[in-house]
C-alpha cells in the first residue's frame, strides 16, 4: 500500500514510521527546506513512550531525556507545595513505560533519523488534496500531482487539509499565551527549584522541568489575555520564534515567588506565543484521506498531552491499516477514527478544564481546587492527568 503523509512534525513523523513498520510505502511531504531545531521542552507520558518502544526508539529518546521522579504543584506567591504526584519508577511499573521530558528537537531528530531520505520530500508545499474511488492525491505549489492509496494530513493546528475536507474552520485562540525559555543548569543552580513543578496563580501558571538529561531547564509561563485588547494582537500570535520585549515577562508575573521571577529574569532569550486550539470534529476522515494530530484535535498544553495524542494517533493508524487491501482503506480509516476520536476529544476538554483550574483567583475557589488535588493524590498517586494515559494504554 502507498501512503502520502503531509507534514513532518511529531505526528507526521510518527505516522510515517508506524505505516512503514506495517510494510507500507510512505512518502513524507514537508514544506520547510530542512529539519531545524525549533521549540523547546516536550513531555512524553507512558502512552507515548509505549509507542516509541514499539518503534524501537525508546532507548534513543530516553538517552537524551530527563526522567522526573515527581511533579510538585505550588502556590504562586510563596511556593508552598499544594500536592505532589509520582512520576518515577512507579509509573513504569504501572503503565509499562516511563515518563520522559525531552527537547522537542531531540525527539524530532530521533524520529526523522529512521526515515530513509528518499522517502522525504522537503521544500514541497501542498496546495490541495483530492481523491477518487481508487486513489488520493496531493497537488503541490509546483503543480505536481502525487497519488497514493491514502493521504494522511498531519499539517498542524493551522491545517489547510482540514478546511479542504470539512470546509471553513479556523484555529481558535484559547485566551492564553505563554513565554518560554531554556536556561542552562548553571544559571539556576542556586534557586532550589523542584525538578518538575507547576506554580498556580490568578490568571497565570508557570511550569518548569529539565530536558537533555538535566542540562537545560525548560520554563513556560502561561498568562490569560484577551486578543481584542492586545495592541496588534501580538500576545495572541502563534509563533515558535516571536521574541518577547525585554522585561515583558517580569512585568506580567510581578509579585510571584522569588525563584520563579529570578529564573524568568535570567532567561537570556524569551519567546512569546499565543496558544490556539481547534473545535472538536465529529469525524476526521473522508474516503481515503484522514487528519492526524493537531490538525484533528489541537489542544491547550495544560495536560502535556498534545504530542502524546499525535503519537497515539500514529500507532492506532498503523494498527488499523495492517493487512488492509487498498479497496478497504476507507473502512480502515473509519476504524482508526472510531478508536481515537473519543479519547482525543476527552483529552482536549480535560486540558482546557485544567487550565481553568490552574488560573483560579486566590480565595475559596483556589482553596477548594487545592483540596481536590490533594484528595486526588490520595486516590491516584499519578494525578488526574494519568487518566489519559490509562485510557490510551487500555485502548492499545
Amino acid at each position: 500500500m502507498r501512503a502520502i503523509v503531509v507534514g513532518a512534525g511529531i505526528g507526521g513523523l510518527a505516522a510515517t514510521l508506524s505505516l512503514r513498520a506495517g510494510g507500507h510505502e510512505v512518502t513524507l511531504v514537508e514544506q520547510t527546506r530542512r529539519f531545524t531545531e525549533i521549540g523547546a521542552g516536550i513531555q512524553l507520558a507512558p502512552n507515548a513512550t509505549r509507542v516509541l518502544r514499539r518503534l524501537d526508539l525508546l532507548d534513543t529518546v530516553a538517552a537524551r531525556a530527563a526522567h522526573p521522579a515527581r511533579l510538585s504543584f505550588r502556590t504562586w506567591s510563596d511556593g508552598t507545595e499544594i500536592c505532589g504526584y509520582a512520576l518515577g519508577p512507579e509509573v513504569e511499573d504501572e503503565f509499562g513505560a516511563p515518563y520522559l521530558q525531552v527537547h522537542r528537537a531531540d525527539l524530532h531528530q530521533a524520529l526523522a533519523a529512521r526515515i530513509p531520505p528518499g522517502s522525504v520530500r522537503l521544500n514541497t508545499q501542498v496546495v490541495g488534496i483530492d481523491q477518487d474511488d481508487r486513489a488520493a492525491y496531493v497537488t503541490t505549489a509546483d503543480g505536481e500531482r502525487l497519488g497514493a492509496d491514502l493521504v494522511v494530513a498531519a499539517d498542524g493546528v493551522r491545517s489547510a487539509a482540514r478546511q479542504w475536507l470539512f470546509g471553513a474552520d479556523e484555529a481558535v485562540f484559547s485566551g492564553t499565551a505563554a513565554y518560554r525559555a531554556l536556561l542552562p543548569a548553571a544559571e539556576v543552580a542556586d534557586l532550589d527549584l523542584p525538578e518538575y513543578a507547576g506554580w498556580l496563580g490568578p490568571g497565570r501558571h508557570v511550569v518548569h522541568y529539565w530536558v537533555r538529561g538535566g542540562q537545560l531547564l525548560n520554563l513556560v509561563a502561561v498568562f490569560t489575555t484577551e486578543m481584542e485588547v492586545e495592541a496588534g494582537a501580538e500576545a495572541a500570535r502563534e509563533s515558535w520564534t516571536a521574541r518577547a520585549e525585554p522585561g515583558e515577562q517580569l512585568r506580567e508575573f510581578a509579585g510571584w515567588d522569588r525563584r520563579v521571577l529570578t529564573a524568568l529574569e535570567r532567561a537570556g532569550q524569551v519567546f512569546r506565543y499565543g496558544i490556539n486550539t481547534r473545535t472538536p470534529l465529529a469525524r476526521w476522515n473522508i474516503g481515503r484521506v484522514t487528519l492526524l494530530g493537531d490538525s484533528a484535535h489541537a489542544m491547550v498544553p495544560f495536560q502535556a498531552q498534545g504530542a502524546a495524542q499525535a503519537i497515539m494517533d500514529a500507532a492506532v493508524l498503523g494498527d488499523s491499516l495492517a493487512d488492509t487491501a487498498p479497496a478497504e482503506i476507507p473502512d480502515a480509516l473509519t476504524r482508526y477514527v472510531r478508536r481515537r476520536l473519543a479519547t482525543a476529544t476527552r483529552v482536549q476538554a480535560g486540558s482546557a478544564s485544567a487550565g481553568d483550574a490552574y488560573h483560579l483567583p486566590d480565595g475559596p475557589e483556589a482553596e477548594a481546587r487545592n483540596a481536590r488535588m490533594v484528595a486526588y493524590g490520595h486516590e491516584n498517586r499519578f494525578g488526574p492527568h494519568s487518566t489519559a494515559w490509562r485510557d490510551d494504554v487500555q485502548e492499545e
Side-chain angles (χ1 to χ4, degrees):
M1 185 167 61
R2 296 171 301 124
I4 295 172
V5 175
V6 180
I10 301 300
L13 290 169
T16 299
L17 291 177
S18 185
L19 290 170
R20 283 179 53 82
H24 308 306
E25 177 186 333
V26 187
T27 299
L28 175 61
V29 179
E30 167 59 34
Q31 65 180 350
T32 59
R33 293 180 179 274
R34 58 190 178 91
F35 295 140
T36 56
E37 183 168 314
I38 196 167
I42 193 168
Q43 303 197 56
L44 297 173
N47 52 347
T49 55
R50 285 170 65 99
V51 177
L52 294 181
R53 178 178 284 135
R54 287 174 55 183
L55 296 174
D56 195 27
L57 280 170
L58 181 56
D59 290 345
T60 300
V61 174
R64 296 281 281 164
H67 301 245
R70 187 173 183 269
L71 165 59
S72 173
F73 280 104
R74 298 183 172 238
T75 56
W76 68 278
S77 55
D78 62 7
T80 300
E81 183 170 84
I82 299 167
C83 64
Y85 302 126
L87 289 177
E90 305 95 327
V91 164
E92 189 157 9
D93 290 343
E94 179 77 12
F95 296 97
Y99 194 105
L100 302 178
Q101 293 166 330
V102 303
H103 195 295
R104 179 181 290 269
D106 294 339
L107 175 61
H108 194 275
Q109 182 180 21
L111 293 165
R114 293 295 180 89
I115 300 173
S119 297
V120 181
R121 295 273 307 257
L122 296 174
N123 195 28
T124 303
Q125 182 183 3
V126 174
V127 297
I129 295 176
D130 65 288
Q131 60 183 307
D132 55 33
D133 290 341
R134 295 180 298 175
Y137 308 90
V138 302
T139 302
T140 74
D142 293 333
E144 277 190 281
R145 193 165 185 251
L146 309 176
D149 296 308
L150 78 151
V151 171
V152 180
D155 54 340
V157 65
R158 297 285 181 186
S159 172
R162 176 168 167 145
Q163 299 212 30
W164 298 330
L165 287 177
F166 299 110
D169 174 19
E170 299 290 342
V172 179
F173 178 56
S174 69
T176 57
Y179 302 106
R180 66 173 179 85
L182 287 168
L183 291 86
E187 289 291 321
V188 294
D190 62 326
L191 296 185
D192 190 31
L193 290 169
E195 65 167 346
Y196 175 24
W199 307 67
L200 310 184
R204 291 160 180 77
H205 75 277
V206 172
V207 175
H208 58 74
Y209 55 87
W210 296 101
V211 297
R212 290 195 169 151
Q215 297 177 30
L216 295 172
L217 183 75
N218 184 67
L219 178 65
V220 182
V222 180
F223 59 101
T224 57
T225 179
E226 293 298 330
M227 186 161 50
E228 292 78 9
V229 301
E230 292 291 340
E234 272 300 298
R237 187 158 66 93
E238 182 195 39
S239 172
W240 283 109
T241 58
R243 295 191 181 186
E245 296 295 326
E248 177 185 340
Q249 74 278 15
L250 300 180
R251 295 189 294 273
E252 193 68 49
F253 285 82
W256 277 56
D257 183 278
R258 174 192 58 82
R259 290 166 288 180
V260 171
L261 281 177
T262 302
L264 286 170
E265 183 178 22
R266 292 178 183 175
Q269 194 172 68
V270 179
F271 297 92
R272 177 187 58 207
Y273 62 98
I275 299 172
N276 291 270
T277 65
R278 298 305 297 249
T279 303
L281 290 169
R283 62 184 301 184
W284 302 342
N285 64 305
I286 293 179
R288 295 174 173 273
V289 182
T290 190
L291 304 177
L292 180 144
D294 281 352
S295 66
H297 50 68
M299 61 190 69
V300 294
F302 307 147
Q303 286 189 320
Q305 274 290 303
Q309 290 300 303
I311 291 170
M312 282 298 305
D313 289 350
V316 173
L317 178 68
D319 288 348
S320 299
L321 288 165
D323 302 319
T324 297
E328 299 168 343
I329 285 172
D331 290 338
L333 294 182
T334 295
R335 290 195 298 273
Y336 149 69
V337 173
R338 188 180 297 125
R339 287 178 58 186
R340 288 295 302 143
L341 188 144
T343 297
T345 302
R346 187 162 57 248
V347 175
Q348 269 187 303
S351 297
S353 178
D356 293 339
Y358 292 167
H359 294 174
L360 289 172
D362 286 341
E365 289 181 286
E367 291 168 4
R369 172 203 64 204
N370 295 352
R372 288 193 299 271
M373 294 174 72
V374 171
Y376 199 100
H378 293 319
E379 298 172 6
N380 182 338
R381 56 183 172 165
F382 307 115
H385 299 176
S386 64
T387 301
W389 321 342
R390 195 176 300 279
D391 286 349
D392 279 341
V393 168
Q394 290 173 345
E395 178 183 89
E396 185 186 357

